[in-house]
Amino acid sequence: MTTDTSAVDPAADVASTDAATYDLTSKISPYLDLHMMFPLLEYIDTLISSGSISYSSLDVAQARLELLKPTHMVDYAMDIYREVHGEDADIPQEMEDQKTEVLKKMEELRDAQTKFDELCRNEELRATLINNNQWNINSITSSPTLGITQETIAAYYKFAKFNFDCGDYINARDQIENYISLFASPPKQRKEGGEGGTNDDDDEFAAGGTAAATPPEDEKTGNPNMYYLTSIDTSLLHVLWGKLSCEILVEDWEEASVALIAVKTAIESLASSHKLAPLEALHQRTWLLHWSLFVFWNDSGKGGLESMVELFTSEKYLQAVTTHAPHLLRYLTAAVLICKRRAAKKAGGNANAEGKRLLRDLVKVMQQCEYSDPIVEFVDKLSVQFDFEAAQSQLARCETVLKSDFFLCKQTEMFMEEARVFVFENYCRIHHKIDLTTLGEKLAMDRERAERWIVDLIRNALLDAKIDSEEGCVVMGTGSTSVYEQVMDKTKELTARSGALVVNLRGYMNDLRREKNRRMAAAMEAEY
């Protein structure tokens, strides 16, 4: 994309240049589905309109038009074509031909899958088949009364994918759910008190009706982390990817979290059974990390960021970050900084240790990744180099990077707040008395605002500190730790030290024994 240098405000021009410099859209796009790129480009359009990024809106529209070519969203493509070439521009004949072909193909697929679609909508008949353990491809296609063939079900899945390519994500999602249910074996519900109980949580795909009172002994329940699928292969893995993409595009983040776990479970199952080559598994994990950004950052208030940190720092997925996608370090760094205090609070008495662990693990990842931006540099300057001046400079640039990032923009205020707390914590570690004016400069605040902010922080975080208004400074306490933390600090190396003591004692006793034997031998020789 080219940049637009028409801005006149020097500060705004620097900010927009920073936003363009650190924009990760081009690095992320190779790992996303084409349809997922449209929300990102729409956000870039809003940045261009506000003058926050120095891109050309015409280039963005042209990029969107190129992305639309492989899809079936012809009407949308025509609108973008007019945006690029003018409202009065004649639509190319190839677009008109593509639209005709899309409509024709849609009718063909709709007719080919009608019988199975009608069966899925017939809740009573579907419930009966489920209760009789006949809701599977073999049973359905072997029933002469249903008149459904393997080709009918294959057409149903193709129609789901076709609807997805047309931008009809809701119908595509529903069809994929029905298709997945043919390979699933959820736990059956039992009748209680003569009535057929229902429990939606037990079977995501079953619709109404009573369940079998006693499941067959040889019935196999599928994996609950994978929509109760009884087995997985690469074809079904593609189906699960389709389910995840639909949930992301309809912005159902709760269901997207479930779909994310299903894809991860499928990848690891195929990799462990050697049905997926190690290199291909690495590629799949890299794609999953990028898709997970939509889920985690839109579910950040419900433990999403904690889950993200856990996933990104697990051994196999950390390998994907360091080798294939070091730019994801930005999101891991931001997530750690935002959820550090939350994780520490959950840890209770071991709060300080948990916060330190998260930062320690992050620093290790930073040392393995050849990537840097203001967010990563801020943490590095502060927690590794303790360079407060450099950290302050990077923090001023962080806000621009955050606001221009599609995934991080909603967390800008939260990040800046946690970043200031991070500065405050580190500054307090090496100073007993801190001038409010100086601290305000470190936090990019005036003295009065800094004083109010610190008062709230001390009150909410229960920090051992007080403000001396006469001298205009913050006086830190002795930093006393709880009894629990003192015991943990003193005993954390107890096992290793005890082991070393045992080894030393055993060596000493062996030396004494050898010396005793030597003296006895010498005495016996003297006698003879």
Side-chain angles (χ1 to χ4, degrees):
M1 295 181 187
T2 59
T3 57
D4 183 358
T5 58
S6 59
V8 294
D9 183 0
D13 189 44
V14 170
S16 64
T17 302
D18 268 358
T21 301
Y22 296 109
D23 178 31
L24 294 181
T25 304
S26 60
K27 293 184 178 181
I28 290 175
S29 57
Y31 300 99
L32 298 182
D33 185 274
L34 290 179
H35 295 256
M36 294 179 185
M37 285 301 301
F38 298 127
L40 271 68
L41 294 179
E42 288 173 5
Y43 184 69
I44 289 178
D45 276 334
T46 63
L47 295 176
I48 294 173
S49 301
S50 63
S52 301
I53 197 167
S54 53
Y55 285 156
S56 166
S57 57
L58 189 62
D59 286 346
V60 175
Q62 187 64 49
R64 187 182 287 109
L65 189 60
E66 290 298 318
L67 289 172
L68 284 167
K69 285 183 178 180
T71 73
H72 299 325
M73 296 189 288
V74 188
D75 289 334
Y76 186 25
M78 289 179 176
D79 293 338
I80 300 301
Y81 184 87
R82 292 190 180 96
E83 181 181 333
V84 174
H85 298 280
E87 291 295 329
D88 298 330
D90 293 332
I91 300 298
Q93 186 60 41
E94 61 179 350
M95 281 190 174
E96 298 288 357
D97 294 341
Q98 183 185 5
K99 183 175 181 178
T100 303
E101 184 64 26
V102 166
L103 293 174
K104 178 182 176 182
K105 184 68 174 178
M106 180 181 289
E107 289 303 316
E108 290 177 357
L109 288 173
R110 181 179 285 115
D111 292 342
Q113 57 85 54
T114 297
K115 287 189 176 181
F116 183 67
D117 182 59
E118 291 175 348
L119 175 61
C120 291
R121 297 175 186 276
N122 188 334
E123 295 186 3
E124 184 177 353
L125 179 55
R126 175 173 174 166
T128 300
L129 292 173
I130 291 174
N131 295 334
N132 293 332
N133 298 316
Q134 294 178 329
W135 185 256
N136 55 72
I137 292 180
N138 290 335
S139 297
I140 291 174
T141 55
S142 61
S143 173
T145 59
L146 297 176
I148 296 174
T149 63
Q150 296 270 2
E151 290 73 18
T152 306
I153 296 176
Y156 185 82
Y157 177 64
K158 289 180 181 177
F159 192 44
K161 189 175 185 307
F162 192 88
N163 280 332
F164 178 86
D165 286 335
C166 291
D168 188 357
Y169 308 124
I170 294 178
N171 279 330
R173 175 188 62 178
D174 296 341
Q175 290 174 300
I176 290 175
E177 286 181 357
N178 290 332
Y179 184 79
I180 290 175
S181 68
L182 293 172
F183 303 89
S185 180
K188 299 300 179 183
Q189 304 160 26
R190 297 176 179 271
K191 291 183 179 179
E192 296 181 2
E195 296 293 333
T198 59
N199 186 346
D200 294 339
D201 292 335
D202 287 342
D203 185 358
E204 182 174 344
F205 306 108
T210 57
T214 305
E217 292 183 1
D218 60 348
E219 183 182 334
K220 180 182 179 182
T221 300
N223 190 331
N225 291 326
M226 206 164 54
Y227 295 115
Y228 292 104
L229 292 175
T230 55
S231 62
I232 188 67
D233 56 25
T234 53
S235 297
L236 278 177
L237 175 60
H238 292 152
V239 178
L240 294 177
W241 276 109
K243 178 72 162 63
L244 175 57
S245 61
C246 287
E247 300 295 359
I248 289 174
L249 291 165
V250 301
E251 299 183 359
D252 188 339
W253 306 121
E254 186 174 344
E255 287 299 320
S257 298
V258 176
L260 184 71
I261 294 173
V263 174
K264 178 179 179 293
T265 305
I267 291 173
E268 300 312 320
S269 176
L270 290 171
S272 62
S273 60
H274 305 291
K275 295 179 182 177
L276 206 60
L279 184 59
E280 177 59 25
L282 182 62
H283 286 303
Q284 294 276 343
R285 294 185 187 112
T286 306
W287 278 73
L288 187 65
L289 288 172
H290 285 81
W291 288 33
S292 72
L293 295 176
F294 289 92
V295 182
F296 291 137
W297 286 100
N298 283 285
D299 193 31
S300 59
K302 300 179 180 179
L305 296 186
E306 287 82 353
S307 299
M308 176 183 166
V309 173
E310 182 180 353
L311 176 65
F312 276 51
T313 54
S314 60
E315 181 181 357
K316 295 176 181 178
Y317 287 84
L318 181 57
Q319 182 184 15
V321 172
T322 56
T323 59
H324 277 42
H327 53 271
L328 292 179
L329 180 60
R330 169 188 294 183
Y331 303 102
L332 176 60
T333 304
V336 168
L337 205 60
I338 291 175
C339 72
K340 180 171 68 73
R341 281 202 299 166
R342 289 200 308 232
K345 287 180 181 179
K346 290 181 181 179
N350 205 23
N352 291 336
E354 179 62 19
K356 290 177 182 178
R357 183 192 67 79
L358 285 174
L359 281 173
R360 185 172 58 250
D361 293 345
L362 174 61
V363 170
K364 289 180 181 178
V365 178
M366 290 167 59
Q367 293 171 346
Q368 298 176 46
C369 290
E370 295 183 1
Y371 172 80
S372 182
D373 64 22
I375 296 174
V376 176
E377 280 294 310
F378 168 73
V379 175
D380 178 68
K381 296 297 183 186
L382 200 55
S383 61
V384 178
Q385 302 180 33
F386 292 95
D387 187 341
F388 289 92
E389 296 298 329
Q392 178 186 351
S393 174
Q394 294 298 334
L395 183 57
R397 304 174 69 186
C398 282
E399 191 166 7
T400 299
V401 176
L402 289 161
K403 288 181 178 178
S404 62
D405 191 292
F406 173 80
F407 300 104
L408 301 179
C409 59
K410 296 178 182 178
Q411 302 296 329
T412 300
E413 292 185 6
M414 177 68 74
F415 178 92
M416 297 302 291
E417 174 69 15
E418 293 299 326
R420 291 190 176 101
V421 173
F422 193 37
V423 172
F424 184 71
E425 289 175 345
N426 281 272
Y427 204 75
C428 291
R429 286 179 191 171
I430 58 178
H431 295 85
H432 172 65
K433 184 179 290 187
I434 309 167
D435 180 69
L436 280 172
T437 303
T438 303
L439 186 58
E441 292 175 357
K442 303 297 182 188
L443 302 174
M445 297 177 175
D446 57 47
R447 173 176 167 170
E448 184 178 351
R449 184 183 171 200
E451 183 173 354
R452 289 198 304 268
W453 182 83
I454 294 169
V455 168
D456 291 338
L457 183 64
I458 292 173
R459 182 185 299 117
N460 295 332
L462 301 177
L463 296 178
D464 187 10
K466 63 181 180 179
I467 292 182
D468 188 334
S469 300
E470 292 183 1
E471 295 188 16
C473 63
V474 180
V475 181
M476 303 306 300
T478 58
S480 60
T481 56
S482 66
V483 174
Y484 176 83
E485 291 178 358
Q486 292 177 37
V487 171
M488 290 298 295
D489 289 339
K490 291 181 179 180
T491 61
K492 62 183 178 181
E493 297 180 358
L494 186 59
T495 302
R497 289 160 58 189
S498 299
L501 183 61
V502 169
V503 171
N504 292 337
L505 182 60
R506 184 179 293 119
Y508 178 71
M509 294 301 295
N510 289 336
D511 290 341
L512 287 178
R513 191 176 296 110
R514 283 194 295 268
E515 179 64 20
K516 181 179 180 181
N517 292 336
R518 186 185 66 78
R519 289 178 179 178
M520 290 178 63
M524 292 175 65
E525 288 179 1
E527 289 181 4
Y528 292 103

